[in-house]
Amino acid sequence: MLLTISTTHFPADDLSYLLHKHPGKIQSVDISAGKAHIFYPEVSNKRCTAALLLDIDPVGLVRSVGPKGNDFALEQYVNDRPYVSSSFMSAAIAKAYSSALNGKCKDKPELVDVAMPFTIKLSVLPVKGGEAILKLLFEPLGYGINAVQHPLDPAFPEWGNSRYFTVELSNTITLQQLLSHLYVLIPVCDNDKHYWVNHEEVEKLLAKGKDWLETHPARELIVRRYLKNQRSLANEALGVLLSKDEVEEASPQETAIEVAGDIEEPQLRIHELRLNAAKEELLLAGAKRVADLGCGEGKLIKLLLAEKQFEFILGMDVSYRSLEIAKERLKLDRMSEKQIQRIQLIQGSLTYRDKRLEGFDGVALVEVIEHLDESRLAALERSVFEFAKPGVLVITTPNAEYNVLFADYQQGKMRHNDHRFEWTRKEFEAWSNDLALKYNYNVIFKPVGDVDPEVGALSQMAVFSRQDKVEEQFV
Ligand code: SAH
């Protein structure tokens, strides 16, 4: 795999001073599983390109298996590691360009703080979650992105796309910023690491993320992926990035980010479908006062605000941090007085009776129930069906049967770390039918997403209508 860094800064060959690598020589450094070679395909004062080429030894890779070992027995023989940019590339950046990464330049120290126009190209970058994740990670840092996704096999286009991209990024920043972004975000795209992640990685992440990670909107996703989804380490890092008491609340928030990012691309689209399906049901029911319970970052609220029919919209979540993000995303601070009157965000838990949830025509719980322990569901049922009693109630949840169609399917593995359960269609329907009977609702079920004849759709939705409301319509 190859990383090229080009600049048109004048004089462009300043790049060689910054990288501490002579433009006329090919140099090599050792990394744990092979070598990294540094050379310059082009050098002039107008344009200069430095290339970092990794030469990974597949046998060395097998020998350097970490303490966790491989889950997949054949992985030692069949894996993409020698051919893609991954955490090996970060290790190579740290070794080959260490002084630049640490913001040092012996011969021309004044260059360290100069923002230069850079274009970088990564020949093969695996991106879990596809182009949407690339945008989520790089756009907030000011990068222009040009990504080409490669098909699984050009001879069989019907197999669809692989997770491999050729990526070109451009930005005008300092070289140290550029290298620190790449150091952290390459393994975050890949979502895998060649070594066992421990406490030291938290330090590395915080050091490399200094000055930009704290304010990055996808910081929870970055931290979790970088630390290989180890919650305790991720919380440790977030504890430094955020203030301490926010961290307790950041855990449920992580799930909201997961919904947005830590999944393959088709599911990103499916989330849009779910949100739209919930909105459509609320519209169809003629609801005017609506509530989004477990609103997360306010994605549904944003859609609801665009519909004049909804006169008042309440968003509730247990996570204060999510609500802050929602407030930011919805630009509540900059809303007109009239719009502000239409919306309220409150912190609360669905497992407690809450008078603020009473008197709504329509309520949505989009991908929320599976985040509660099954033992706490009874409390949610009472607070929603017995006390809040909305006219119409839309609930969506994953359809567990569909999981067999995921490329990385493992029996019993749920879609996200924070899911406490995932139900089959039968289980969800049985639960919903019982509730409808007990609390006098009619219920219908709808699939969300394309329906597979065997296992159904990715997500499932129940639409409950309170019987007295339905009867009122016919009187
Ligand atoms: N509905 C949003 C977010 C789904 S993620 C969307 O579709 O984008 C699940 C959300 O449920 C998280 O924001 C989490 O904080 C929230 N949540 C989990 N338990 C909750 C509880 N007991 N009460 C209220 N919200 C809860």
Side-chain angles (χ1 to χ4, degrees):
M1 53 293 218
L2 180 68
L3 163 70
T4 58
I5 301 177
S6 308
T7 186
T8 49
H9 160 83
F10 190 84
D13 47 2
D14 270 351
L15 183 62
S16 66
Y17 288 96
L18 274 169
L19 290 174
H20 281 238
K21 291 287 173 282
H22 194 286
K25 289 190 200 156
I26 296 181
Q27 295 173 67
S28 302
V29 294
D30 288 323
I31 55 166
S32 65
K35 280 191 178 308
H37 308 289
I38 307 108
F39 56 95
Y40 291 79
E42 56 180 337
V43 189
S44 75
N45 59 9
K46 291 205 182 60
R47 192 178 157 88
C48 179
T49 297
L52 182 63
L53 176 70
L54 298 201
D55 186 6
I56 300 290
D57 164 19
V59 178
L61 258 188
V62 176
R63 294 208 185 111
S64 62
V65 179
K68 192 161 179 237
N70 287 311
D71 298 337
F72 165 45
L74 278 177
E75 193 172 323
Q76 297 194 353
Y77 309 101
V78 187
N79 72 62
D80 62 2
R81 299 296 93 183
Y83 317 108
V84 300
S85 289
S86 64
S87 52
F88 289 117
M89 185 56 94
S90 300
I93 290 173
K95 187 95 187 252
Y97 299 150
S98 77
S99 35
L101 182 60
N102 292 315
K104 293 194 192 112
C105 183
K106 206 166 67 211
D107 296 329
K108 295 193 175 189
E110 69 283 4
L111 290 179
V112 168
D113 294 322
V114 178
M116 300 180 178
F118 287 112
T119 302
I120 71 109
K121 194 163 174 182
L122 279 158
S123 54
V124 187
L125 180 68
V127 187
K128 184 165 187 225
E131 202 170 340
I133 286 287
L134 278 176
K135 290 196 168 141
L136 200 76
L137 296 177
F138 286 99
E139 276 181 353
L141 296 167
Y143 286 88
I145 304 171
N146 186 355
V148 179
Q149 190 166 13
H150 298 289
L152 267 177
D153 188 329
F156 299 96
E158 66 277 14
W159 290 0
N161 278 325
S162 69
R163 64 189 199 110
Y164 302 110
F165 286 78
T166 294
V167 178
E168 213 178 82
L169 300 168
S170 39
N171 205 354
T172 300
I173 47 178
T174 69
L175 182 63
Q176 184 190 13
Q177 286 171 323
L178 175 77
L179 293 177
S180 71
H181 297 158
L182 295 175
Y183 179 92
V184 172
L185 297 179
I186 288 174
V188 166
C189 286
D190 179 32
N191 201 26
D192 197 358
K193 273 207 167 175
H194 67 275
Y195 47 83
W196 184 234
V197 175
N198 59 22
H199 182 79
E200 266 173 41
E201 285 301 304
V202 176
E203 304 285 310
K204 281 193 209 164
L205 173 65
L206 293 172
K208 303 295 184 295
K210 197 165 99 15
D211 302 333
W212 60 272
L213 187 54
E214 195 180 334
T215 51
H216 196 297
R219 64 185 170 227
E220 276 98 344
L221 175 81
I222 296 171
V223 168
R224 263 190 320 97
R225 279 191 173 195
Y226 185 90
L227 296 171
K228 240 185 149 175
N229 294 310
Q230 291 196 48
R231 190 171 284 251
S232 59
L233 290 178
N235 271 344
E236 187 182 331
L238 287 166
V240 179
L241 291 173
L242 314 168
S243 72
K244 187 72 197 116
D245 34 324
E246 276 178 313
V247 182
E248 308 311 334
E249 284 156 12
S251 308
Q253 164 55 22
E254 284 173 23
T255 58
I257 297 258
E258 271 169 337
V259 169
D262 198 11
I263 40 186
E264 300 298 332
E265 207 173 16
Q267 285 174 293
L268 280 177
R269 286 198 299 273
I270 190 75
H271 197 53
E272 301 288 307
L273 288 178
R274 280 182 204 122
L275 298 170
N276 274 307
K279 180 190 81 176
E280 288 303 321
E281 293 300 334
L282 295 174
L283 279 174
L284 207 66
K288 295 198 169 111
R289 286 174 57 81
V290 290
D292 179 14
L293 306 183
C295 62
E297 299 172 356
K299 293 191 189 119
L300 178 60
I301 299 177
K302 192 165 183 192
L303 295 180
L304 300 178
L305 271 172
E307 302 292 339
K308 288 208 180 70
Q309 178 181 316
F310 304 124
E311 291 168 5
F312 181 72
I313 303 159
L314 178 82
M316 185 184 89
D317 205 284
V318 75
S319 158
Y320 186 71
R321 174 104 205 100
S322 296
L323 292 168
E324 283 204 322
I325 296 176
K327 189 174 154 210
E328 189 85 354
R329 286 205 168 171
L330 295 165
K331 304 193 172 74
L332 284 201
D333 292 343
R334 278 161 277 166
M335 245 177 210
S336 69
E337 197 54 32
K338 199 166 158 224
Q339 282 287 68
I340 277 280
Q341 303 293 335
R342 283 177 73 208
I343 175 165
Q344 190 181 10
L345 297 180
I346 59 170
Q347 188 179 20
S349 173
L350 279 161
T351 50
Y352 294 96
R353 177 177 186 176
D354 191 332
K355 283 206 175 312
R356 296 172 299 177
L357 307 186
E358 291 172 19
F360 282 90
D361 307 319
V363 159
L365 276 84
V366 178
E367 306 297 285
V368 174
I369 57 169
E370 65 277 9
H371 291 277
L372 278 91
D373 287 328
E374 276 190 87
S375 60
R376 303 292 294 145
L377 264 189
L380 173 141
E381 288 162 24
R382 291 197 68 198
S383 74
V384 174
F385 285 86
E386 186 177 336
F387 300 119
K389 281 197 300 199
V392 62
L393 172 63
V394 185
I395 300 185
T396 79
T397 193
N399 163 21
E401 291 164 78
Y402 195 91
N403 294 359
V404 294
L405 298 185
F406 294 140
D408 58 352
Y409 171 70
Q410 285 170 23
Q411 203 176 3
K413 188 177 155 202
M414 288 191 234
R415 294 184 194 178
H416 303 303
N417 293 341
D418 200 59
H419 284 181
R420 309 301 158 89
F421 60 87
E422 283 173 359
W423 279 337
T424 61
R425 284 168 294 175
K426 226 170 156 183
E427 286 168 323
F428 181 50
E429 287 169 19
W431 177 78
S432 306
N433 282 325
D434 282 352
L435 287 174
L437 199 65
K438 192 163 167 192
Y439 295 105
N440 288 325
Y441 277 83
N442 290 335
V443 61
I444 55 165
F445 301 96
K446 295 189 180 177
V448 186
D450 294 338
V451 179
D452 177 272
E454 293 281 311
V455 298
L458 257 162
S459 218
Q460 43 186 343
M461 176 167 74
V463 185
F464 298 84
S465 317
R466 217 169 78 199
Q467 268 171 17
D468 54 349
K469 291 278 168 196
V470 178
E471 281 151 17
E472 263 172 32
Q473 283 181 1
F474 291 99
V475 175

